[in-house]
Amino acid sequence: MFSFLIRRLLQSLLILLGVSMITFVLLYWLPADPVRQIAGRSATAQTVQNIREQLGLDQPLVVQYWRYLGNLLQGDLGRSYLQRTEVSTLIMSRLPASLLLMAGAIFAELLIGLSMGVVAALRRGSRTDQVLMIVSFVGVSAPQFVVGLLLLYVFAVQLHWFPIGGYGTFSHLVLPALTMGILGSGWYSRMMRSSMVDVLRQDFVRTARAKGLTRRRIILRHALPNAILPVIAMIGIDVGIFMGGIVVVESVFGWPGIGQLAWQAIQRVDIPIIMGVTLVSATAIVIGNLVADVISLMVDPRIKIR
Amino acid sequence: MSIVTTPDLANSDTASPKRQSALARLLQRRLAVFGFALILLTVLGAVFAPWLTPYSPYEQMFDGLTIEGAPMPPSSTFLLGTDLLGRDLLTRILYGARTSLIIGVAANGMALIIGTLIGVTAGYFRGWVGGMLMRMTDLMMAFPALLLAICLAAIFQPSLWIVAMVIATVNWVQTARVLYSETSSLAEREFIAAERTLGAGHMRILFKHILPHLVPTIIVWGTLGISTTVLLEATLSFLGVGVQPPVASWGNIIFENQTYFQAAPWLVFFPSLAIVVLALAFNLVGDALRDVLDPTQRGRN
């Protein structure tokens, strides 16, 4: 177990190194010149040249990357080109909002997805089961901006139950969290259904039934805990989907998280911020996968360690 | 999760008493047929768009706006209303279907080819080549896909084909991983070893013995992948880094009109519906195909 952890950790670090390299090369190729953006339209050739030298952008790619990596190892993500602030400061100020959104989204998708899955599994083959599974299909077929705009229109514009956008109170969190959660709940409900169906077929459930336990007790004490564990282990993998959706959902709802930070930086060619957010997201995804592996190992020791 | 279950090929025939073709079994599923119908409808709408509507998707009509210059709500002249520039929304949605289908097929085709090449090569040869290739897929898994796609789309000035390529670059990973595990378990089987002792070369084994076994998986992931592709294209276009106006795409119709969202909700509602319906259709068909083509799933429901 321990050596497995060490090996996975090293692998994760290598992956992050690769991500940083690829992103750096991609951003280097960007046709939009960041120096022009900083200097403005009226800048003279001399000013442009000065800024370029000052930022070290006249150096060859390898030198630039090497220096970035050196700073990165000391926890320095560089400065934003346009805001003259440390990228790490900017990200740290936005991260709590994104983490809050993530917590809300996970809560929403588990609540909706797991209950849909359990109900569908218990009434397998019935009309309810069919309807629930179609609903879950619609959930995974709707892009997040569509869900977001729809929720906004119905619950904020028409019904005035929730604010149109922004950040601060619990009611601000509901719609964005729900938007992110609906996609995930589609996946969870289907996984939960099949896991529950599998467990209900097992011998120990038949034994419990033969002992004369009530249906309620069989489901709550015997079937559910066994069925839910492998599904919960998926939360770690979810981080990847979440990090993708964050850009869209935060910009639809004006949620001040790292997704919006990245989106604004992309529009302004603020490369250090784009690099920073990509690395933070990749780190989150890698940690998520690691956690998923460890949890599924603990949940089911039969899974062989590779 | 089918980690434990192994394909029981020897018994699969006795397990299904009525031996039917995959197509026949597919057609028994109402949801799959429904999905097929929706796809067919979209394809027909895209192909026959010029004959289905009297307007051009680019024509900004004088009577397409109210006297105040606002878009027109759905009426008998403009069935789904008009957009901010006075263009007929139904026409733009029909032409947008072309964009979605072209990108869906092209991007997904490319992703499928890349994924198959990488997955099969890695699974068959393994060793350091396989290791390298699979570390590459691990790397891609760690990328926030949408962020990567946005960056790529920003680098290359987006056109229809660039958007398709961008989507293909971020979307091949799933296919590669699935085909990797299938190929590596196939390569262990006796009939492959037998073939090798008979002196068959790698190419012969790959194309005559391994690839045919992978066809069902490729079909399933290809169908499900179109749905993912349609959603990704819509999202990129919605953010303004996908297909560029005036070319119509369901995502950029919403992008162009979202400022008018409160006053003219139909401008967001109808293209959204189109996206969800098409993605849903491919998901329904793909899911049914998986049940029908995967022998381990047979006789479960």
Side-chain angles (χ1 to χ4, degrees), chain A:
Chain A
M1 177 82 180
F2 186 69
S3 70
F4 162 77
L5 265 182
I6 296 285
R7 203 165 57 225
R8 285 287 278 116
L9 269 176
L10 282 176
Q11 254 177 28
S12 308
L13 281 177
L14 274 179
I15 286 176
L16 287 179
L17 186 73
V19 169
S20 77
M21 211 183 299
I22 293 179
T23 319
F24 203 90
V25 172
L26 279 180
L27 294 176
Y28 187 84
W29 273 341
L30 228 92
D33 185 357
V35 179
R36 286 261 165 224
Q37 291 269 335
I38 302 164
R41 285 225 184 95
S42 54
T44 61
Q46 185 58 42
T47 330
V48 170
Q49 187 57 31
N50 284 345
I51 295 176
R52 198 181 299 279
E53 276 167 23
Q54 203 184 338
L55 293 172
L57 293 177
D58 53 337
Q59 309 271 335
L61 176 64
V62 182
V63 179
Q64 284 188 42
Y65 178 66
W66 190 247
R67 205 175 43 196
Y68 185 86
L69 210 58
N71 290 338
L72 186 66
L73 291 178
Q74 296 164 24
D76 178 7
L77 286 168
R79 276 171 186 280
S80 154
Y81 285 164
L82 297 170
Q83 304 184 40
R84 311 304 288 149
T85 337
E86 292 275 344
V87 172
S88 46
T89 319
L90 281 171
I91 290 180
M92 285 317 279
S93 71
R94 299 292 196 104
L95 205 54
S98 288
L99 290 178
L100 182 65
L101 180 55
M102 178 147 104
I106 290 178
F107 179 76
E109 68 188 8
L110 288 182
L111 190 72
I112 303 171
L114 297 190
S115 35
M116 271 171 66
V118 170
V119 171
L122 292 179
R123 317 215 160 162
R124 192 154 75 97
S126 72
R127 185 55 58 87
T128 324
D129 179 21
Q130 286 169 0
V131 171
L132 283 176
M133 285 306 106
I134 293 176
V135 170
S136 79
F137 263 122
V138 176
V140 298
S141 306
Q144 287 173 321
F145 67 92
V146 163
V147 176
L149 289 175
L150 198 68
L151 290 179
L152 259 184
Y153 185 72
V154 175
F155 294 106
V157 177
Q158 293 296 324
L159 296 173
H160 299 288
W161 288 2
F162 299 103
I164 287 188
Y167 176 67
T169 66
F170 177 72
S171 66
H172 286 101
L173 175 65
V174 175
L175 292 183
L178 212 54
T179 304
M180 304 220 65
I182 281 179
L183 172 69
S185 65
W187 295 117
Y188 277 110
S189 62
R190 305 187 54 204
M191 281 191 296
M192 189 64 211
R193 180 182 179 278
S194 74
S195 171
M196 190 77 179
V197 166
D198 281 347
V199 168
L200 286 176
R201 254 204 225 114
Q202 307 257 320
D203 290 341
F204 68 83
V205 172
R206 199 190 314 149
T207 311
R209 205 173 288 147
K211 273 197 325 191
L213 295 186
T214 57
R215 183 177 155 82
R216 188 190 162 84
R217 195 175 163 82
I218 294 172
I219 292 167
L220 290 181
R221 291 294 299 275
H222 296 274
L224 205 55
N226 279 296
I228 221 166
L229 279 173
V231 178
I232 296 278
M234 291 289 158
I235 291 178
I237 296 170
D238 246 27
V239 176
I241 303 173
F242 180 81
M243 283 299 164
I246 205 170
V247 178
V248 178
V249 175
E250 287 185 0
S251 84
V252 168
F253 289 95
W255 189 263
I258 57 170
Q260 223 187 22
L261 183 71
W263 179 228
Q264 285 161 355
I266 289 170
Q267 288 168 314
R268 296 178 194 152
V269 208
D270 204 336
I271 291 174
I273 297 185
I274 309 178
M275 271 303 287
V277 176
T278 309
L279 282 180
V280 169
S281 318
T283 312
I285 294 174
V286 165
I287 294 176
N289 285 339
L290 208 61
V291 169
D293 278 4
V294 172
I295 291 183
S296 49
L297 207 66
M298 291 194 307
V299 168
D300 189 354
R302 285 171 300 181
I303 295 174
K304 268 188 290 177
I305 302 174
R306 269 184 298 140

Side-chain angles (χ1 to χ4, degrees), chain B residues 114-135 137 175-189 192 196 202 205-206 210-211 214:
Chain B
I114 303 173
T116 308
L117 276 178
I118 292 186
V120 171
T121 318
Y124 181 72
F125 290 107
R126 276 179 283 182
W128 67 270
V129 182
M132 277 264 291
L133 289 175
M134 288 327 281
R135 291 297 83 75
T137 59
T175 317
R177 285 169 71 96
V178 173
L179 289 180
Y180 166 76
S181 64
E182 288 213 356
T183 310
S184 56
S185 72
L186 267 176
E188 299 270 293
R189 300 268 290 273
I192 299 291
R196 206 171 284 144
H202 289 316
I205 294 179
L206 275 176
I210 291 199
L211 219 49
L214 299 176

Side-chain angles (χ1 to χ4, degrees), chain A residues 22 26 31 141 153 190 198 244, chain B residues 139 146 155 265 280 283 287 300:
Chain A
I22 293 179
L26 279 180
S141 306
Y153 185 72
R190 305 187 54 204
D198 281 347
Chain B
L139 197 89
L146 193 61
I155 291 175
L280 177 66
N283 267 334
D287 190 70
R300 281 190 60 177

Side-chain angles (χ1 to χ4, degrees), chain B residues 45-117:
Chain B
V47 171
F48 295 108
W51 293 277
L52 287 172
T53 153
Y55 310 108
S56 140
Y58 308 114
E59 189 191 352
Q60 303 182 10
M61 284 165 291
F62 181 69
D63 54 354
L65 292 172
T66 59
I67 299 173
E68 292 85 26
M72 306 268 273
S75 67
S76 57
T77 348
F78 305 110
L79 285 178
L80 298 184
T82 60
D83 72 357
L84 280 188
L85 299 173
R87 295 173 297 194
D88 181 49
L89 185 62
L90 177 63
T91 310
R92 287 192 67 75
I93 288 182
L94 284 175
Y95 280 86
R98 290 185 171 185
T99 312
S100 282
L101 288 171
I102 290 175
I103 292 198
V105 171
N108 192 51
M110 280 189 264
L112 219 51
I113 292 173
I114 303 173
T116 308
L117 276 178

